[in-house]
Amino acid sequence: MEASLALPVFLIAVLVLLKIVDLYRLHGMLTVSLQESARYLSVCAYAVDETGKETYEIPETAACIAYAEAKIPKEIRENGTVTLAGSRVKNGWLELKAIYWPKMGNRLVPVRNRGIAACAKVHLFCGKTEEEADEEEGEAKQMVWVTENGSVYHTDSSCSHINLSIHVSSPGALAWKRNQDGEKYKECEQCVGNGAVGAEVYYTKYGNRYHNSLSCKGLKRKVKLVALEQTDGLPRCSKCAKKAA
């Protein structure tokens, strides 16, 4: 009688232990994937054009998230759900943050599902070593950030107008949210269309549209670092000026 009662308890304990070990393995795979993606994306911030001139670009947050998501191993996706909505590019740093909800429990072992966090953080490659940067510091030109079709230049790379902070929400919860100016969020004409809203939507604090896809153009900003004298007389961003004051 005692053996018949103890055996099921023992088997359940073994199953739970094996599940915990498997979760550690999947978490390690996810962390390695984020680190590899972050290292690759950090190099993408620096390039040389056809004339040999160095160019510096801030990777778009949405593009970084889309790339990192595509590189997550298939096994992780088959065993749970991953979101990288908390990732961001700020002050020269790329931070990929993932929340992983693994498939937990079964009819024999019901377990409450909890998210598991993983993170990778790297500094964007600027094309110069620390020693080279120190040597040129005294004669360096003032560098500013401009967007592809922007009407101002920015002195702060973390300015919300060029470095969008993307949030995720359910459509129902978003109906009660307001942006920085107190406006309601409307559907993006480019990616939502015809009212086809997914289970999760994406929005920014300063925008007034919600999106179905992180790769939507409405969530992208192509930003370049250039010398102030190359801005062709563009005015300074009022938000950057206010922050520097």
Side-chain angles (χ1 to χ4, degrees):
M1 180 64 73
E2 292 179 358
S4 62
L5 293 175
L7 182 59
V9 175
F10 174 75
L11 292 177
I12 291 174
V14 171
L15 290 174
V16 171
L17 179 61
L18 291 176
K19 186 64 177 180
I20 292 174
V21 172
D22 191 52
L23 288 178
Y24 273 106
R25 181 180 65 85
L26 293 174
H27 179 265
M29 290 175 59
L30 177 59
T31 302
V32 170
S33 175
L34 293 180
Q35 291 173 343
E36 292 178 348
S37 295
R39 283 195 292 267
Y40 173 80
L41 291 168
S42 70
V43 176
C44 293
Y46 170 78
V48 177
D49 62 19
E50 297 81 2
T51 64
K53 181 181 178 181
E54 296 175 339
T55 61
Y56 306 86
E57 291 191 7
I58 301 176
E60 300 164 354
T61 301
C64 291
I65 293 176
Y67 177 85
E69 284 185 336
K71 293 298 181 179
I72 293 175
K74 183 179 179 181
E75 182 180 358
I76 293 178
R77 294 189 173 279
E78 291 176 344
N79 287 278
T81 305
V82 184
T83 176
L84 279 79
S87 302
R88 64 178 181 173
V89 179
K90 186 175 182 180
N91 296 331
W93 288 87
L94 166 62
E95 188 173 11
L96 295 177
K97 289 184 178 180
I99 302 295
Y100 179 46
W101 286 276
K103 294 178 180 178
M104 296 289 291
N106 50 49
R107 294 181 179 179
L108 293 177
V109 188
V111 179
R112 183 179 179 184
N113 196 355
R114 293 182 180 275
I116 300 174
C119 180
K121 186 175 182 179
V122 297
H123 196 282
L124 298 178
F125 180 54
C126 64
K128 291 182 173 62
T129 64
E130 185 176 352
E131 291 75 13
E132 291 172 330
D134 290 339
E135 290 176 1
E136 298 180 5
E137 185 176 2
E139 55 186 33
K141 299 179 181 179
Q142 181 181 0
M143 306 299 287
V144 296
W145 288 267
V146 295
T147 59
E148 188 174 16
N149 300 309
S151 58
V152 297
Y153 69 84
H154 305 265
T155 55
D156 181 11
S157 63
S158 63
C159 179
S160 59
H161 293 304
I162 60 174
N163 186 22
L164 300 180
S165 178
I166 301 173
H167 304 274
V168 62
S169 173
S170 64
L174 186 64
W176 298 95
K177 296 180 184 295
R178 300 293 184 270
N179 68 4
Q180 185 71 13
D181 298 321
E183 298 179 83
K184 287 185 176 181
Y185 290 95
K186 301 176 182 179
E187 65 180 33
C188 171
E189 296 83 356
Q190 300 182 59
C191 67
V192 177
N194 300 321
V197 181
E200 290 185 340
V201 293
Y202 305 94
Y203 67 99
T204 64
K205 188 176 179 181
Y206 292 90
N208 59 4
R209 294 290 188 273
Y210 61 85
H211 309 264
N212 269 348
S213 172
L214 286 171
S215 60
C216 177
K217 293 181 180 179
L219 290 174
K220 292 185 175 183
R221 294 289 186 274
K222 188 172 183 181
V223 185
K224 287 189 176 183
L225 182 66
V226 301
L228 178 59
E229 59 193 38
Q230 297 177 332
T231 59
D232 297 327
L234 289 178
R236 186 180 185 182
C237 166
S238 59
K239 188 171 184 180
C240 293
K242 184 177 179 180
K243 186 174 181 179

